[in-house]
Amino acid sequence: MSRIAGCFSKLSDQQRTALIPYVTAGDPQPGVTVPLMHALVQAGADLIEVGVPFSDPMADGPVIQAACERALVHHTSLHDVLEMVREFRTEDTETPVILMGYLNPVEVWGYAEFASAAAAAGVDGVLTVDMPPEEAAELISAFRDHGIDAIFLLAPTSSEERMDIINRSASGFIYYVSFKGVTGANRLDVDAVSSKLMEVRKHTDLPIGVGFGIRDPESAASVARIADAVVVGSALVGRIPDLADRPEAIPAALAETLSGMRSAIDAVAGSR
Amino acid sequence: MEPTQAIDPERSAGTLPDEHGHFGPWGGRYVAETLMLPLDELTEAYNHYIKDPEFVAELDADLADFVGRPSPLYFAERWSTRLGGARIYLKREDLNHTGAHKVNNTVGQALLAQRMGKTRIIAETGAGQHGVATATVAARLGMECVIYMGSEDIKRQAINVYRMRLLGADVMAVESGSKTLKDALNEAMRDWVTNVDNTFYIIGTVAGPHPYPAMVRDFQTVIGREARDQIQQQAGRLPDALVACVGGGSNAIGLFYPFLADSEVAMFGVEAGGDGLETGRHAAPLCDGKAGVLHGNRTYLMEDPDGQIIETHSVSAGLDYPGVGPEHAWLKDTGRVTYDSVTDKEALTAFHEVTCVEGIMPALESSHALSYTARIAPAMDRDRIIVVNLSGRGDKDVHTIAAMEGITI
């Protein structure tokens, strides 16, 4: 069983919803990322999504775009991101780590070579947002060869046919994009997500994480009632600009935000 | 002469792309999940309407009466004589309504948007020509229009920005990344994913996710079909060479495509060499780029070893783009088209030459094609024929040119 599958299985036994924070690697500087990851685990993260900075983050809103730009000032590369995961793994061998980013850095590295290096660094899953399953056969097979879960998105526009395609391609969990839009937008409609998830669950047995637009403990709790995992990105990353001149304060500050969400989620545990 | 039809639904000159938008290893559809269904719907609507006689008739009529087609094929006699080699014919896309080839595509996509029941049009623009052509058709059809433009380009192309605003479009300044065309495209994609229910995204070049590269090409091939008829009527035979500038590559593919099966016709695509390929400050991914994935398709890109897209440079905002249409990547690999580059300086020289000798002021983009023509024409015999796509007029560039030459207007 992969580290991701094991994590979800344990949480399911405990009737808990997973909390998955997202942070962009290297934001606002490379030294912050690993301590930040540890702090997020302390604050209740069950899995961690590490964003791979990209020059053209088409699916992201202004908060994550700015995070990418800050990280790229220091030329944080995909190689650097794997180095950070490797360092994280020296102290934490349990928390699953998922890379989230765009295809081109992986494309340039080479699928097989990247998959091998990522597995060696301790990466458990990879989500390339601009890689639909139709184009992904070779990439998925490289990931499978190295025990890496291929995470795919489902969206409000996904047809039942696409749910089946994605179920066949995905492993670990499925990331449901809560609305039509970019990361961080204020468009979350929990009822709409809830009815779509009922449909999605007819097509897959994989755990379903919900992300985009979860900005506070209340929205985290309401999504936790219907999803297997709550993904929080812009609400955390959006705090970084104000702390950029005090980078040592970032891990504690973001951990505080996350732990508020953790408490709210746990308060609705078992109510699914 | 029989009017040349706006569109060739049989795509008789080639069979690519395949049903998933692949030109060999290039092209495809690399977008986030939310856009997969809208792109399927667009593909289906497009494939339906290009075979609908009513749609084609309306497009034909618009191209004739609104755009002013057919555009002339003009024998540049004085310039040909001065260069002392091949006879040079200019395909006068600069004479289209709005002053460039871009309108051929926006008229087609806007009609499609209307058929699909969309009420809002968005587009990205670099030089502003595609933005103006989009704002123009949106005004005519009474549709809401939002144009995304990098804030750097807004500074370079103030006149086109004002034209778009006069036409009723909202011009949104894009401040992210390099603040140029690629970032405008990112922002337009973000708008589309957010407003996909009522919004049609008119991409201006033969790039992006399937079906855009094929669809934009099909709307632009009217250039090549007209030129093919016109040169046979004027010269009694096919040309020996075609020349066009390549940014994303829509005017080039529009000219080239109807000639692809004519093996005796050589084709030259001219990229923006900027300060020179050796300086790295250019926008010539086919000449000096690497394979990658950006903006929904696999193609040649200007990128660093980590896969980050790098900033490009060209005096011509319309060529200042780090990617290129996937069909050009394929035509490069197969060797059917030869791709080369021309520097800012060389393009400027050609601009002045053609302006003074022919009384035609070409766009800086088109000046790249003209410069390359001046490079190859002298070595060709006088009975040889070159057709150059004069893709746009230069009025929009006079401020840039004056600034380069230290002149204050």
Side-chain angles (χ1 to χ4, degrees), chain A residues 53 55-58 60 65 69 104 107 129 132 135 157-158 162 180 187, chain B residues 22 29 33-34 177 182 186 190 194 197 292-293 298 303 307-309:
Chain A
S55 53
D56 295 80
M58 275 176 14
D60 283 299
Q65 286 172 48
E69 287 184 18
N104 202 46
E107 182 83 14
V129 295
E135 303 280 0
T157 52
S158 302
R162 294 198 57 76
K180 295 173 217 167
R187 296 168 72 97
Chain B
H22 296 119
R29 188 183 278 173
E33 173 64 18
T34 315
K182 79 174 177 74
N186 293 336
R190 292 177 189 124
T194 305
D197 294 335
V293 173
R298 177 179 281 113
E303 58 190 346
Q308 308 295 347
I309 309 307

PDB file of all heavy atoms in Angstrom, chain A residues 53 55-58 60 65 69 104 107 129 132 135 157-158 162 180 187, chain B residues 22 29 33-34 177 182 186 190 194 197 292-293 298 303 307-309:
ATOM      1  N   PRO A  53       7.377  25.624  -8.304  1.00  0.00           N
ATOM      2  CA  PRO A  53       7.202  26.927  -8.945  1.00  0.00           C
ATOM      3  C   PRO A  53       7.297  26.821 -10.472  1.00  0.00           C
ATOM      4  O   PRO A  53       8.130  26.076 -10.989  1.00  0.00           O
ATOM      5  CB  PRO A  53       8.368  27.767  -8.416  1.00  0.00           C
ATOM      6  CG  PRO A  53       8.886  27.034  -7.232  1.00  0.00           C
ATOM      7  CD  PRO A  53       8.547  25.593  -7.416  1.00  0.00           C
ATOM      8  N   SER A  55       6.877  29.355 -14.168  1.00  0.00           N
ATOM      9  CA  SER A  55       6.809  30.724 -14.692  1.00  0.00           C
ATOM     10  C   SER A  55       5.418  31.100 -15.188  1.00  0.00           C
ATOM     11  O   SER A  55       5.081  32.277 -15.248  1.00  0.00           O
ATOM     12  CB  SER A  55       7.815  30.886 -15.836  1.00  0.00           C
ATOM     13  OG  SER A  55       7.609  29.869 -16.813  1.00  0.00           O
ATOM     14  N   ASP A  56       4.613  30.121 -15.583  1.00  0.00           N
ATOM     15  CA  ASP A  56       3.314  30.403 -16.201  1.00  0.00           C
ATOM     16  C   ASP A  56       2.204  29.567 -15.579  1.00  0.00           C
ATOM     17  O   ASP A  56       1.632  28.694 -16.241  1.00  0.00           O
ATOM     18  CB  ASP A  56       3.397  30.169 -17.711  1.00  0.00           C
ATOM     19  CG  ASP A  56       4.344  31.152 -18.369  1.00  0.00           C
ATOM     20  OD1 ASP A  56       5.581  30.924 -18.310  1.00  0.00           O
ATOM     21  OD2 ASP A  56       3.866  32.151 -18.913  1.00  0.00           O
ATOM     22  N   PRO A  57       1.879  29.844 -14.300  1.00  0.00           N
ATOM     23  CA  PRO A  57       0.898  29.016 -13.588  1.00  0.00           C
ATOM     24  C   PRO A  57      -0.542  29.355 -13.993  1.00  0.00           C
ATOM     25  O   PRO A  57      -1.243  30.067 -13.293  1.00  0.00           O
ATOM     26  CB  PRO A  57       1.171  29.343 -12.116  1.00  0.00           C
ATOM     27  CG  PRO A  57       1.728  30.729 -12.123  1.00  0.00           C
ATOM     28  CD  PRO A  57       2.437  30.903 -13.437  1.00  0.00           C
ATOM     29  N   MET A  58      -0.967  28.803 -15.118  1.00  0.00           N
ATOM     30  CA  MET A  58      -2.235  29.179 -15.750  1.00  0.00           C
ATOM     31  C   MET A  58      -3.480  28.884 -14.924  1.00  0.00           C
ATOM     32  O   MET A  58      -4.500  29.527 -15.115  1.00  0.00           O
ATOM     33  CB  MET A  58      -2.375  28.452 -17.092  1.00  0.00           C
ATOM     34  CG  MET A  58      -1.707  29.170 -18.222  1.00  0.00           C
ATOM     35  SD  MET A  58      -1.749  28.286 -19.791  1.00  0.00           S
ATOM     36  CE  MET A  58      -2.939  27.023 -19.558  1.00  0.00           C
ATOM     37  N   ASP A  60      -3.671  29.028 -11.658  1.00  0.00           N
ATOM     38  CA  ASP A  60      -3.599  29.636 -10.330  1.00  0.00           C
ATOM     39  C   ASP A  60      -4.042  31.086 -10.318  1.00  0.00           C
ATOM     40  O   ASP A  60      -3.814  31.836 -11.264  1.00  0.00           O
ATOM     41  CB  ASP A  60      -2.163  29.541  -9.798  1.00  0.00           C
ATOM     42  CG  ASP A  60      -1.854  28.131  -9.311  1.00  0.00           C
ATOM     43  OD1 ASP A  60      -2.539  27.678  -8.375  1.00  0.00           O
ATOM     44  OD2 ASP A  60      -0.954  27.489  -9.880  1.00  0.00           O
ATOM     45  N   GLN A  65       0.239  32.679  -7.935  1.00  0.00           N
ATOM     46  CA  GLN A  65       1.114  33.269  -8.960  1.00  0.00           C
ATOM     47  C   GLN A  65       2.247  34.050  -8.312  1.00  0.00           C
ATOM     48  O   GLN A  65       3.408  33.923  -8.696  1.00  0.00           O
ATOM     49  CB  GLN A  65       0.343  34.262  -9.835  1.00  0.00           C
ATOM     50  CG  GLN A  65      -0.618  33.660 -10.831  1.00  0.00           C
ATOM     51  CD  GLN A  65      -1.452  34.765 -11.499  1.00  0.00           C
ATOM     52  OE1 GLN A  65      -0.920  35.776 -11.946  1.00  0.00           O
ATOM     53  NE2 GLN A  65      -2.751  34.581 -11.552  1.00  0.00           N
ATOM     54  N   GLU A  69       6.335  33.516  -8.333  1.00  0.00           N
ATOM     55  CA  GLU A  69       7.303  34.559  -8.718  1.00  0.00           C
ATOM     56  C   GLU A  69       8.342  34.774  -7.627  1.00  0.00           C
ATOM     57  O   GLU A  69       9.533  34.915  -7.912  1.00  0.00           O
ATOM     58  CB  GLU A  69       6.577  35.874  -9.051  1.00  0.00           C
ATOM     59  CG  GLU A  69       5.840  35.778 -10.387  1.00  0.00           C
ATOM     60  CD  GLU A  69       5.166  37.082 -10.825  1.00  0.00           C
ATOM     61  OE1 GLU A  69       5.525  38.155 -10.287  1.00  0.00           O
ATOM     62  OE2 GLU A  69       4.275  37.020 -11.701  1.00  0.00           O
ATOM     63  N   ASN A 104       5.663  21.283 -17.679  1.00  0.00           N
ATOM     64  CA  ASN A 104       6.905  21.527 -18.417  1.00  0.00           C
ATOM     65  C   ASN A 104       8.205  21.193 -17.672  1.00  0.00           C
ATOM     66  O   ASN A 104       9.107  20.607 -18.271  1.00  0.00           O
ATOM     67  CB  ASN A 104       6.947  22.951 -18.978  1.00  0.00           C
ATOM     68  CG  ASN A 104       7.903  23.040 -20.151  1.00  0.00           C
ATOM     69  OD1 ASN A 104       7.867  22.189 -21.037  1.00  0.00           O
ATOM     70  ND2 ASN A 104       8.777  24.035 -20.150  1.00  0.00           N
ATOM     71  N   GLU A 107       8.509  17.555 -18.037  1.00  0.00           N
ATOM     72  CA  GLU A 107       8.726  17.258 -19.454  1.00  0.00           C
ATOM     73  C   GLU A 107      10.204  17.432 -19.819  1.00  0.00           C
ATOM     74  O   GLU A 107      10.806  16.599 -20.499  1.00  0.00           O
ATOM     75  CB  GLU A 107       7.852  18.229 -20.259  1.00  0.00           C
ATOM     76  CG  GLU A 107       7.894  18.068 -21.755  1.00  0.00           C
ATOM     77  CD  GLU A 107       6.960  16.981 -22.261  1.00  0.00           C
ATOM     78  OE1 GLU A 107       6.089  16.522 -21.497  1.00  0.00           O
ATOM     79  OE2 GLU A 107       7.123  16.593 -23.429  1.00  0.00           O
ATOM     80  N   VAL A 129      -1.103  19.763 -13.118  1.00  0.00           N
ATOM     81  CA  VAL A 129      -2.464  20.238 -13.366  1.00  0.00           C
ATOM     82  C   VAL A 129      -2.803  20.349 -14.845  1.00  0.00           C
ATOM     83  O   VAL A 129      -3.955  20.214 -15.231  1.00  0.00           O
ATOM     84  CB  VAL A 129      -2.751  21.587 -12.674  1.00  0.00           C
ATOM     85  CG1 VAL A 129      -2.703  21.454 -11.177  1.00  0.00           C
ATOM     86  CG2 VAL A 129      -1.812  22.671 -13.154  1.00  0.00           C
ATOM     87  N   PRO A 132      -3.840  16.201 -18.687  1.00  0.00           N
ATOM     88  CA  PRO A 132      -5.044  15.373 -18.562  1.00  0.00           C
ATOM     89  C   PRO A 132      -4.704  13.908 -18.823  1.00  0.00           C
ATOM     90  O   PRO A 132      -3.675  13.614 -19.460  1.00  0.00           O
ATOM     91  CB  PRO A 132      -5.959  15.920 -19.654  1.00  0.00           C
ATOM     92  CG  PRO A 132      -5.035  16.476 -20.688  1.00  0.00           C
ATOM     93  CD  PRO A 132      -3.795  16.929 -19.957  1.00  0.00           C
ATOM     94  N   GLU A 135      -3.393  12.424 -22.255  1.00  0.00           N
ATOM     95  CA  GLU A 135      -2.019  12.584 -22.749  1.00  0.00           C
ATOM     96  C   GLU A 135      -1.019  11.883 -21.833  1.00  0.00           C
ATOM     97  O   GLU A 135       0.183  11.930 -22.073  1.00  0.00           O
ATOM     98  CB  GLU A 135      -1.651  14.081 -22.804  1.00  0.00           C
ATOM     99  CG  GLU A 135      -2.569  14.960 -23.637  1.00  0.00           C
ATOM    100  CD  GLU A 135      -2.287  14.886 -25.135  1.00  0.00           C
ATOM    101  OE1 GLU A 135      -1.362  14.145 -25.533  1.00  0.00           O
ATOM    102  OE2 GLU A 135      -3.015  15.554 -25.900  1.00  0.00           O
ATOM    103  N   THR A 157     -17.122  20.627 -14.399  1.00  0.00           N
ATOM    104  CA  THR A 157     -17.456  20.385 -15.804  1.00  0.00           C
ATOM    105  C   THR A 157     -17.205  18.938 -16.233  1.00  0.00           C
ATOM    106  O   THR A 157     -17.460  18.593 -17.386  1.00  0.00           O
ATOM    107  CB  THR A 157     -16.607  21.296 -16.717  1.00  0.00           C
ATOM    108  OG1 THR A 157     -15.240  21.126 -16.363  1.00  0.00           O
ATOM    109  CG2 THR A 157     -16.996  22.755 -16.580  1.00  0.00           C
ATOM    110  N   SER A 158     -16.677  18.101 -15.332  1.00  0.00           N
ATOM    111  CA  SER A 158     -16.332  16.733 -15.740  1.00  0.00           C
ATOM    112  C   SER A 158     -17.592  15.907 -15.981  1.00  0.00           C
ATOM    113  O   SER A 158     -18.469  15.836 -15.126  1.00  0.00           O
ATOM    114  CB  SER A 158     -15.484  16.049 -14.659  1.00  0.00           C
ATOM    115  OG  SER A 158     -14.309  16.785 -14.409  1.00  0.00           O
ATOM    116  N   ARG A 162     -15.772  11.200 -18.292  1.00  0.00           N
ATOM    117  CA  ARG A 162     -14.448  11.633 -17.838  1.00  0.00           C
ATOM    118  C   ARG A 162     -14.170  11.121 -16.429  1.00  0.00           C
ATOM    119  O   ARG A 162     -13.026  10.835 -16.095  1.00  0.00           O
ATOM    120  CB  ARG A 162     -14.330  13.151 -17.894  1.00  0.00           C
ATOM    121  CG  ARG A 162     -14.379  13.709 -19.325  1.00  0.00           C
ATOM    122  CD  ARG A 162     -13.821  15.121 -19.402  1.00  0.00           C
ATOM    123  NE  ARG A 162     -12.449  15.161 -18.894  1.00  0.00           N
ATOM    124  CZ  ARG A 162     -11.396  14.723 -19.554  1.00  0.00           C
ATOM    125  NH1 ARG A 162     -11.546  14.211 -20.764  1.00  0.00           N
ATOM    126  NH2 ARG A 162     -10.193  14.785 -19.034  1.00  0.00           N
ATOM    127  N   LYS A 180     -15.567  26.357 -11.001  1.00  0.00           N
ATOM    128  CA  LYS A 180     -14.936  26.771 -12.249  1.00  0.00           C
ATOM    129  C   LYS A 180     -14.177  28.045 -11.954  1.00  0.00           C
ATOM    130  O   LYS A 180     -14.789  29.084 -11.697  1.00  0.00           O
ATOM    131  CB  LYS A 180     -15.992  27.034 -13.315  1.00  0.00           C
ATOM    132  CG  LYS A 180     -16.776  25.801 -13.732  1.00  0.00           C
ATOM    133  CD  LYS A 180     -17.909  26.174 -14.671  1.00  0.00           C
ATOM    134  CE  LYS A 180     -19.117  25.316 -14.387  1.00  0.00           C
ATOM    135  NZ  LYS A 180     -20.328  25.835 -15.037  1.00  0.00           N
ATOM    136  N   ARG A 187     -15.460  31.514  -4.532  1.00  0.00           N
ATOM    137  CA  ARG A 187     -16.626  31.045  -5.278  1.00  0.00           C
ATOM    138  C   ARG A 187     -17.170  29.729  -4.744  1.00  0.00           C
ATOM    139  O   ARG A 187     -17.954  29.066  -5.414  1.00  0.00           O
ATOM    140  CB  ARG A 187     -16.240  30.818  -6.749  1.00  0.00           C
ATOM    141  CG  ARG A 187     -15.835  32.074  -7.482  1.00  0.00           C
ATOM    142  CD  ARG A 187     -15.193  31.744  -8.826  1.00  0.00           C
ATOM    143  NE  ARG A 187     -16.144  31.252  -9.811  1.00  0.00           N
ATOM    144  CZ  ARG A 187     -16.719  31.999 -10.744  1.00  0.00           C
ATOM    145  NH1 ARG A 187     -16.442  33.278 -10.823  1.00  0.00           N
ATOM    146  NH2 ARG A 187     -17.571  31.480 -11.605  1.00  0.00           N
TER     147      ARG A 187
ATOM    148  N   HIS B  22      -3.045  16.122 -32.436  1.00  0.00           N
ATOM    149  CA  HIS B  22      -1.601  15.907 -32.534  1.00  0.00           C
ATOM    150  C   HIS B  22      -1.097  16.070 -33.967  1.00  0.00           C
ATOM    151  O   HIS B  22      -1.678  15.540 -34.905  1.00  0.00           O
ATOM    152  CB  HIS B  22      -1.232  14.500 -32.049  1.00  0.00           C
ATOM    153  CG  HIS B  22      -1.534  14.295 -30.605  1.00  0.00           C
ATOM    154  ND1 HIS B  22      -2.415  13.340 -30.159  1.00  0.00           N
ATOM    155  CD2 HIS B  22      -1.091  14.945 -29.510  1.00  0.00           C
ATOM    156  CE1 HIS B  22      -2.495  13.401 -28.841  1.00  0.00           C
ATOM    157  NE2 HIS B  22      -1.712  14.369 -28.423  1.00  0.00           N
ATOM    158  N   ARG B  29      -3.588  18.491 -26.128  1.00  0.00           N
ATOM    159  CA  ARG B  29      -4.471  19.312 -25.294  1.00  0.00           C
ATOM    160  C   ARG B  29      -4.012  19.202 -23.859  1.00  0.00           C
ATOM    161  O   ARG B  29      -4.369  18.267 -23.152  1.00  0.00           O
ATOM    162  CB  ARG B  29      -5.901  18.821 -25.458  1.00  0.00           C
ATOM    163  CG  ARG B  29      -6.929  19.707 -24.798  1.00  0.00           C
ATOM    164  CD  ARG B  29      -8.302  19.128 -24.929  1.00  0.00           C
ATOM    165  NE  ARG B  29      -8.925  19.418 -26.203  1.00  0.00           N
ATOM    166  CZ  ARG B  29     -10.093  18.900 -26.594  1.00  0.00           C
ATOM    167  NH1 ARG B  29     -10.718  18.041 -25.826  1.00  0.00           N
ATOM    168  NH2 ARG B  29     -10.614  19.229 -27.761  1.00  0.00           N
ATOM    169  N   GLU B  33      -8.365  20.101 -15.925  1.00  0.00           N
ATOM    170  CA  GLU B  33      -9.589  19.325 -16.160  1.00  0.00           C
ATOM    171  C   GLU B  33     -10.811  20.193 -16.483  1.00  0.00           C
ATOM    172  O   GLU B  33     -11.615  19.840 -17.351  1.00  0.00           O
ATOM    173  CB  GLU B  33      -9.854  18.465 -14.920  1.00  0.00           C
ATOM    174  CG  GLU B  33     -11.162  17.710 -14.914  1.00  0.00           C
ATOM    175  CD  GLU B  33     -11.277  16.665 -16.021  1.00  0.00           C
ATOM    176  OE1 GLU B  33     -10.250  16.260 -16.592  1.00  0.00           O
ATOM    177  OE2 GLU B  33     -12.421  16.274 -16.328  1.00  0.00           O
ATOM    178  N   THR B  34     -10.939  21.330 -15.812  1.00  0.00           N
ATOM    179  CA  THR B  34     -12.140  22.154 -15.990  1.00  0.00           C
ATOM    180  C   THR B  34     -12.369  22.525 -17.455  1.00  0.00           C
ATOM    181  O   THR B  34     -13.501  22.693 -17.888  1.00  0.00           O
ATOM    182  CB  THR B  34     -12.026  23.439 -15.138  1.00  0.00           C
ATOM    183  OG1 THR B  34     -11.557  23.069 -13.838  1.00  0.00           O
ATOM    184  CG2 THR B  34     -13.355  24.148 -15.015  1.00  0.00           C
ATOM    185  N   GLY B 177       4.242  37.905 -14.378  1.00  0.00           N
ATOM    186  CA  GLY B 177       5.317  37.350 -15.199  1.00  0.00           C
ATOM    187  C   GLY B 177       6.086  38.418 -15.950  1.00  0.00           C
ATOM    188  O   GLY B 177       6.488  39.425 -15.378  1.00  0.00           O
ATOM    189  N   LYS B 182       2.664  36.205 -23.516  1.00  0.00           N
ATOM    190  CA  LYS B 182       2.458  34.900 -22.884  1.00  0.00           C
ATOM    191  C   LYS B 182       1.656  35.048 -21.587  1.00  0.00           C
ATOM    192  O   LYS B 182       0.829  34.203 -21.262  1.00  0.00           O
ATOM    193  CB  LYS B 182       3.784  34.187 -22.630  1.00  0.00           C
ATOM    194  CG  LYS B 182       4.548  34.661 -21.413  1.00  0.00           C
ATOM    195  CD  LYS B 182       5.785  33.806 -21.136  1.00  0.00           C
ATOM    196  CE  LYS B 182       6.592  34.323 -19.968  1.00  0.00           C
ATOM    197  NZ  LYS B 182       5.999  34.066 -18.658  1.00  0.00           N
ATOM    198  N   ASN B 186      -2.010  33.568 -20.413  1.00  0.00           N
ATOM    199  CA  ASN B 186      -2.303  32.924 -19.122  1.00  0.00           C
ATOM    200  C   ASN B 186      -3.554  33.532 -18.500  1.00  0.00           C
ATOM    201  O   ASN B 186      -4.423  32.821 -17.991  1.00  0.00           O
ATOM    202  CB  ASN B 186      -1.142  33.122 -18.135  1.00  0.00           C
ATOM    203  CG  ASN B 186       0.112  32.388 -18.554  1.00  0.00           C
ATOM    204  OD1 ASN B 186       0.062  31.417 -19.284  1.00  0.00           O
ATOM    205  ND2 ASN B 186       1.261  32.865 -18.088  1.00  0.00           N
ATOM    206  N   ARG B 190      -7.289  32.038 -17.539  1.00  0.00           N
ATOM    207  CA  ARG B 190      -7.872  32.092 -16.181  1.00  0.00           C
ATOM    208  C   ARG B 190      -9.280  32.675 -16.234  1.00  0.00           C
ATOM    209  O   ARG B 190     -10.169  32.226 -15.516  1.00  0.00           O
ATOM    210  CB  ARG B 190      -6.982  32.933 -15.260  1.00  0.00           C
ATOM    211  CG  ARG B 190      -5.645  32.275 -14.963  1.00  0.00           C
ATOM    212  CD  ARG B 190      -4.752  33.166 -14.094  1.00  0.00           C
ATOM    213  NE  ARG B 190      -3.417  32.595 -14.005  1.00  0.00           N
ATOM    214  CZ  ARG B 190      -2.284  33.223 -14.336  1.00  0.00           C
ATOM    215  NH1 ARG B 190      -2.311  34.477 -14.751  1.00  0.00           N
ATOM    216  NH2 ARG B 190      -1.126  32.603 -14.246  1.00  0.00           N
ATOM    217  N   THR B 194     -12.952  30.574 -15.518  1.00  0.00           N
ATOM    218  CA  THR B 194     -13.864  31.143 -14.528  1.00  0.00           C
ATOM    219  C   THR B 194     -15.251  31.421 -15.119  1.00  0.00           C
ATOM    220  O   THR B 194     -16.261  31.266 -14.443  1.00  0.00           O
ATOM    221  CB  THR B 194     -13.266  32.456 -13.968  1.00  0.00           C
ATOM    222  OG1 THR B 194     -11.962  32.171 -13.469  1.00  0.00           O
ATOM    223  CG2 THR B 194     -14.119  33.029 -12.853  1.00  0.00           C
ATOM    224  N   ASP B 197     -19.123  29.345 -18.919  1.00  0.00           N
ATOM    225  CA  ASP B 197     -20.499  29.109 -19.348  1.00  0.00           C
ATOM    226  C   ASP B 197     -20.959  30.079 -20.435  1.00  0.00           C
ATOM    227  O   ASP B 197     -21.620  29.684 -21.384  1.00  0.00           O
ATOM    228  CB  ASP B 197     -21.457  29.210 -18.146  1.00  0.00           C
ATOM    229  CG  ASP B 197     -21.206  28.080 -17.152  1.00  0.00           C
ATOM    230  OD1 ASP B 197     -20.689  27.035 -17.589  1.00  0.00           O
ATOM    231  OD2 ASP B 197     -21.511  28.246 -15.961  1.00  0.00           O
ATOM    232  N   GLY B 292       8.801  21.439 -25.392  1.00  0.00           N
ATOM    233  CA  GLY B 292       8.195  21.598 -24.082  1.00  0.00           C
ATOM    234  C   GLY B 292       6.688  21.727 -24.202  1.00  0.00           C
ATOM    235  O   GLY B 292       6.130  21.580 -25.298  1.00  0.00           O
ATOM    236  N   VAL B 293       6.037  21.980 -23.072  1.00  0.00           N
ATOM    237  CA  VAL B 293       4.582  22.109 -23.045  1.00  0.00           C
ATOM    238  C   VAL B 293       4.210  23.452 -22.415  1.00  0.00           C
ATOM    239  O   VAL B 293       4.626  23.745 -21.291  1.00  0.00           O
ATOM    240  CB  VAL B 293       3.929  20.958 -22.248  1.00  0.00           C
ATOM    241  CG1 VAL B 293       2.434  21.211 -22.079  1.00  0.00           C
ATOM    242  CG2 VAL B 293       4.164  19.627 -22.941  1.00  0.00           C
ATOM    243  N   ARG B 298       2.097  20.881 -26.918  1.00  0.00           N
ATOM    244  CA  ARG B 298       3.531  20.567 -26.940  1.00  0.00           C
ATOM    245  C   ARG B 298       4.117  21.175 -28.209  1.00  0.00           C
ATOM    246  O   ARG B 298       3.594  20.991 -29.304  1.00  0.00           O
ATOM    247  CB  ARG B 298       3.775  19.055 -26.932  1.00  0.00           C
ATOM    248  CG  ARG B 298       5.265  18.721 -27.033  1.00  0.00           C
ATOM    249  CD  ARG B 298       5.586  17.241 -27.011  1.00  0.00           C
ATOM    250  NE  ARG B 298       5.534  16.721 -25.659  1.00  0.00           N
ATOM    251  CZ  ARG B 298       4.648  15.853 -25.230  1.00  0.00           C
ATOM    252  NH1 ARG B 298       3.752  15.369 -26.058  1.00  0.00           N
ATOM    253  NH2 ARG B 298       4.660  15.432 -23.982  1.00  0.00           N
ATOM    254  N   GLU B 303      12.951  28.258 -23.309  1.00  0.00           N
ATOM    255  CA  GLU B 303      12.868  27.855 -21.904  1.00  0.00           C
ATOM    256  C   GLU B 303      14.270  27.659 -21.351  1.00  0.00           C
ATOM    257  O   GLU B 303      15.218  27.465 -22.106  1.00  0.00           O
ATOM    258  CB  GLU B 303      12.061  26.550 -21.784  1.00  0.00           C
ATOM    259  CG  GLU B 303      12.653  25.404 -22.585  1.00  0.00           C
ATOM    260  CD  GLU B 303      11.739  24.175 -22.678  1.00  0.00           C
ATOM    261  OE1 GLU B 303      10.776  24.094 -21.920  1.00  0.00           O
ATOM    262  OE2 GLU B 303      12.025  23.307 -23.515  1.00  0.00           O
ATOM    263  N   GLY B 307      13.054  24.194 -17.274  1.00  0.00           N
ATOM    264  CA  GLY B 307      11.702  24.146 -17.836  1.00  0.00           C
ATOM    265  C   GLY B 307      10.885  25.393 -17.551  1.00  0.00           C
ATOM    266  O   GLY B 307       9.673  25.402 -17.758  1.00  0.00           O
ATOM    267  N   GLN B 308      11.532  26.453 -17.066  1.00  0.00           N
ATOM    268  CA  GLN B 308      10.825  27.732 -16.906  1.00  0.00           C
ATOM    269  C   GLN B 308      10.867  28.468 -18.238  1.00  0.00           C
ATOM    270  O   GLN B 308      11.876  28.434 -18.949  1.00  0.00           O
ATOM    271  CB  GLN B 308      11.481  28.605 -15.815  1.00  0.00           C
ATOM    272  CG  GLN B 308      11.685  27.904 -14.477  1.00  0.00           C
ATOM    273  CD  GLN B 308      10.384  27.516 -13.786  1.00  0.00           C
ATOM    274  OE1 GLN B 308       9.301  27.953 -14.160  1.00  0.00           O
ATOM    275  NE2 GLN B 308      10.488  26.668 -12.775  1.00  0.00           N
ATOM    276  N   ILE B 309       9.748  29.133 -18.558  1.00  0.00           N
ATOM    277  CA  ILE B 309       9.677  29.870 -19.811  1.00  0.00           C
ATOM    278  C   ILE B 309      10.462  31.167 -19.656  1.00  0.00           C
ATOM    279  O   ILE B 309      10.318  31.865 -18.644  1.00  0.00           O
ATOM    280  CB  ILE B 309       8.207  30.170 -20.175  1.00  0.00           C
ATOM    281  CG1 ILE B 309       7.372  28.877 -20.122  1.00  0.00           C
ATOM    282  CG2 ILE B 309       8.112  30.844 -21.532  1.00  0.00           C
ATOM    283  CD1 ILE B 309       7.916  27.719 -20.933  1.00  0.00           C
TER     284      ILE B 309
END
